[in-house]
Amino acid sequence: MSSAPHVAIVGVTGAVGQEFLRVLEQRNFPIGKLTLLASARSAGKTVDFKGTTYTVKELTEDSFGDVDLALFSAGGSISKKYAPIASDAGATVVDNSSAFRMIDSVPLVVPEVNPEAVEGIELGKGGIIANPNCSTIIMLVPVTPIHRRAGVKRMVVSTYQAASGAGAAAMAELELQTSEVLAGKEPTCDIFPRQYAFNLFSHNSDIIPEHGYNEEEYKMVCETHKIWKNSDVKITATCVRVPVMRAHAESINLELEQPLDADEARQLLSEAAGVRVVDDRVGNNFPTPLEASNEDDVLVGRIRNDISREGTKVTGLDLFVCGDQVRKGAALNAVQIAELLVK
Ligand SMILES: NC(=O)c1ccc[n+]([C@@H]2O[C@H](COP(=O)([O-])OP(=O)(O)OC[C@H]3O[C@@H](n4cnc5c(N)ncnc54)[C@H](OP(=O)(O)O)[C@@H]3O)[C@@H](O)[C@H]2O)c1
């Protein structure tokens, strides 16, 4: 395609939709025409982008006439219905929901990890590409370079996930609850069924009856297998919501096929795309969600040999990572995917 693409954002009024606008502007993504879509509730609202005021339109089956790139972030059921309609109309879809991630023919892409997965897809010629789950992306950006060097045999991850991962309404509720609790009032629990402020709880996604993992945990397992094209890697995850406004944290333990110690891993990570090492043992300064917020890079620290493993060679590592999941976990990753398609 020769001219700048017609870009549509589906779910532009949401947490990810708003971040899309910031990322597209900051990265100066080429845009010939911009269409902003949300539900009927938002139709008529105005949004400023690069000095121009746009009016949000209601998403309908006719929204994608001459759209080349459709960035979807309006939830799984909207994607399931409208992404195929957009693709049939000729728009290339990058979808943030989980609706298409595990379909074999749909590429599941982290540009630092598997950019080759989008080969053959042309902007403006239809097709759906899935953005992985935010916790999966934040884990794989730093772990993949280690996997490529030393082979991950088994991975144990525990997450500390922010309110923003559950959307704009969850962020507003955390803020409201915090002031209510401080004022000695009963907290409003509309988004989550329990108090979130000054508390933490197991991730709010459904529990899968067969094994008791919740959907977020199971996504981290299945999506990693798909992205790495390797189902032999053993992965277990525990996902927890913490009362942080923005950016997820993860504690990651790796068992490796080949020896790799903490110093070698730190050096490797300091050269890895999309990663910033924050690993100051003397100053006890390591990644925090606040420092990771609004950052493109995933921050990684607490890089240390796992002393529970036996043997003279180091084949176990611990890491602590923080990444902005609205940004690298969603909007930025999707725009980076789109950049792979812009010739
Ligand atoms: N938040 C994250 O960190 C994150 C990370 C990765 C992936 N995701 C995924 O991205 C998607 C959006 O997440 P979010 O956090 O941005 O949610 P959000 O803040 O709740 O925003 C939802 C967006 O979807 C729109 N929407 C809802 N119903 C619609 C309808 N019937 N037709 C058209 N638009 C509709 C909303 O429009 P109105 O304002 O008009 O209601 C709003 O723009 C979800 O699939 C989520 O799983 C989110």
Side-chain angles (χ1 to χ4, degrees):
M1 125 174 226
S2 51
S3 54
H6 176 180
V7 177
I9 301 177
V10 181
V12 71
T13 50
V16 177
Q18 291 293 295
E19 196 63 27
F20 267 134
L21 292 172
R22 280 188 283 273
V23 171
L24 290 167
E25 177 159 11
Q26 286 162 357
R27 298 177 76 86
N28 204 19
F29 187 90
I31 297 179
K33 186 176 169 191
L34 184 62
T35 296
L36 303 181
L37 302 163
S39 76
R41 294 178 291 275
S42 303
K45 280 187 185 167
T46 54
V47 170
D48 290 329
F49 179 76
K50 283 191 168 180
T52 302
T53 301
Y54 293 83
T55 302
V56 176
K57 294 185 188 144
E58 180 185 356
L59 170 68
T60 70
E61 296 185 11
D62 302 321
S63 296
F64 301 98
D66 58 350
V67 171
D68 300 302
L69 170 67
L71 301 167
F72 270 70
S73 66
S77 57
I78 301 296
S79 290
K80 255 189 199 131
K81 176 170 178 193
Y82 289 96
I85 292 172
S87 173
D88 287 347
T92 304
V93 173
V94 183
D95 180 38
N96 264 300
S97 81
S98 58
F100 303 99
R101 288 181 192 148
M102 294 314 295
I103 295 174
D104 281 347
S105 56
V106 174
L108 183 64
V109 183
V110 183
E112 292 86 348
V113 176
N114 61 339
E116 69 286 351
V118 302
E119 264 165 34
I121 297 181
E122 278 186 55
L123 215 52
K125 301 226 166 134
I128 299 175
I129 302 169
N131 212 49
N133 167 271
C134 48
S135 303
T136 309
I137 296 174
I138 287 163
M139 174 174 73
L140 291 190
V141 170
V143 170
T144 300
I146 294 174
H147 177 55
R148 288 195 178 130
R149 173 73 65 87
V152 172
K153 204 171 171 181
R154 180 164 184 267
M155 171 152 59
V156 181
V157 57
S158 302
T159 70
Y160 312 74
Q161 298 187 219
S164 52
M171 296 168 81
E173 184 158 294
L174 175 58
E175 201 174 318
L176 173 67
Q177 280 194 5
T178 304
S179 59
E180 287 172 333
V181 173
L182 286 173
K185 294 186 194 154
E186 271 302 301
T188 306
C189 297
D190 290 337
I191 305 299
F192 298 118
R194 56 181 60 73
Q195 183 177 327
Y196 191 10
F198 306 101
N199 195 15
L200 56 81
F201 47 82
S202 181
H203 193 275
N204 47 293
S205 54
D206 290 343
I207 301 283
I208 303 165
E210 293 95 284
H211 43 56
Y213 281 69
N214 63 44
E215 285 176 352
E216 183 84 356
E217 292 160 353
Y218 202 53
K219 282 174 192 173
M220 295 183 81
V221 176
C222 301
E223 293 181 16
T224 299
H225 287 159
K226 177 168 174 175
I227 294 164
W228 279 357
K229 291 194 193 148
N230 181 344
S231 300
D232 294 335
V233 180
K234 307 285 181 227
I235 304 165
T236 185
T238 301
C239 292
V240 172
R241 253 321 149 210
V242 296
V244 161
M245 199 52 82
R246 186 169 168 139
H248 291 348
E250 302 180 8
S251 158
I252 303 171
N253 177 267
L254 301 173
E255 183 181 338
L256 305 172
E257 303 272 2
Q258 306 294 326
L260 184 80
D261 69 20
D263 290 338
E264 293 167 314
R266 196 175 295 103
Q267 181 60 34
L268 188 63
L269 289 166
S270 70
E271 293 159 8
V275 174
R276 180 156 68 85
V277 173
V278 180
D279 198 36
D280 170 13
R281 291 182 180 182
V282 176
N284 203 348
N285 183 32
F286 301 107
T288 65
L290 274 184
E291 197 183 346
S293 293
N294 301 302
E295 285 278 316
D296 288 357
D297 288 340
V298 175
L299 310 187
V300 56
R302 306 298 322 279
I303 304 166
R304 61 205 192 276
N305 300 338
D306 173 359
I307 57 169
S308 73
R309 296 199 50 75
E310 289 171 352
T312 49
K313 299 248 167 80
V314 177
T315 53
L317 288 174
D318 282 296
L319 313 172
F320 185 73
V321 308
C322 289
D324 185 329
Q325 91 297 333
V326 191
R327 202 170 170 85
K328 181 54 189 168
L332 171 63
N333 197 74
V335 171
Q336 287 173 317
I337 291 171
E339 286 171 349
L340 295 171
L341 306 175
V342 175
K343 299 281 187 294

